[in-house]
Amino acid sequence: MSTDINPPEENVTTQSTTDTTEQAKEILAKVASVLGDSPTYVVETFNEYKRPLTVIGLVFGALIAIKLTFAVLASINDIPVLAPTMELIGLIYTGWFIYRFLLKASNRSELLSSLGDVKDQITGNK
């Protein structure tokens, strides 16, 4: 009594292979349709959330600019003679600014009027 446990059925493996390729084609068709429609999804999402996305982009841009500024200042600060020279220039300019604009009342009013003019130019009132 010889019973064959695994009868040779090539038809089953051929059918499973064709099922697998059909499933793969269906999946690829779905992925292609989603990827084909993705530009419209992106445009719709951007149009719907235009203002918040712009604000987020500006915040990230500002953060990158601040990081770059700090990196440049750190590299300048590593130059041995340049750092103390810059500090001296900053102290001299601060002293001149205080002497020129902040000591006398007439100079303070001149400073306030020039700041008001700049504010008007920025806001478009002038």
Side-chain angles (χ1 to χ4, degrees):
M1 288 199 174
S2 157
T3 320
D4 196 10
I5 298 175
N6 295 324
E9 294 184 23
E10 292 181 15
N11 195 14
V12 173
T13 57
T14 306
Q15 184 180 8
S16 67
T17 305
T18 56
D19 288 342
T20 305
T21 56
E22 288 177 15
Q23 288 176 350
K25 287 179 183 178
E26 289 176 12
I27 291 172
L28 285 174
K30 288 180 183 177
V31 168
S33 72
V34 167
L35 290 177
D37 294 340
S38 64
T40 57
Y41 293 139
V42 169
V43 168
E44 288 174 1
T45 304
F46 182 74
N47 286 335
E48 187 174 344
Y49 299 107
K50 191 174 199 173
R51 191 162 180 93
L53 289 174
T54 304
V55 169
I56 289 171
L58 288 174
V59 167
F60 280 132
L63 289 174
I64 290 171
I66 289 170
K67 283 242 181 216
L68 285 173
T69 302
F70 283 146
V72 168
L73 289 176
S75 65
I76 288 174
N77 199 25
D78 288 341
I79 300 173
V81 176
L82 199 56
T85 306
M86 291 294 180
E87 287 180 17
L88 181 64
I89 291 171
L91 286 173
I92 291 171
Y93 182 77
T94 303
W96 172 82
F97 186 84
I98 290 171
Y99 174 75
R100 171 69 175 92
F101 291 111
L102 301 179
L103 285 181
K104 298 178 185 172
S106 61
N107 293 347
R108 285 192 296 266
S109 64
E110 177 188 343
L111 176 65
L112 288 175
S113 68
S114 66
L115 287 177
D117 291 342
V118 169
K119 183 185 81 167
D120 290 340
Q121 287 177 355
I122 290 173
T123 58
N125 293 336
K126 208 172 199 185

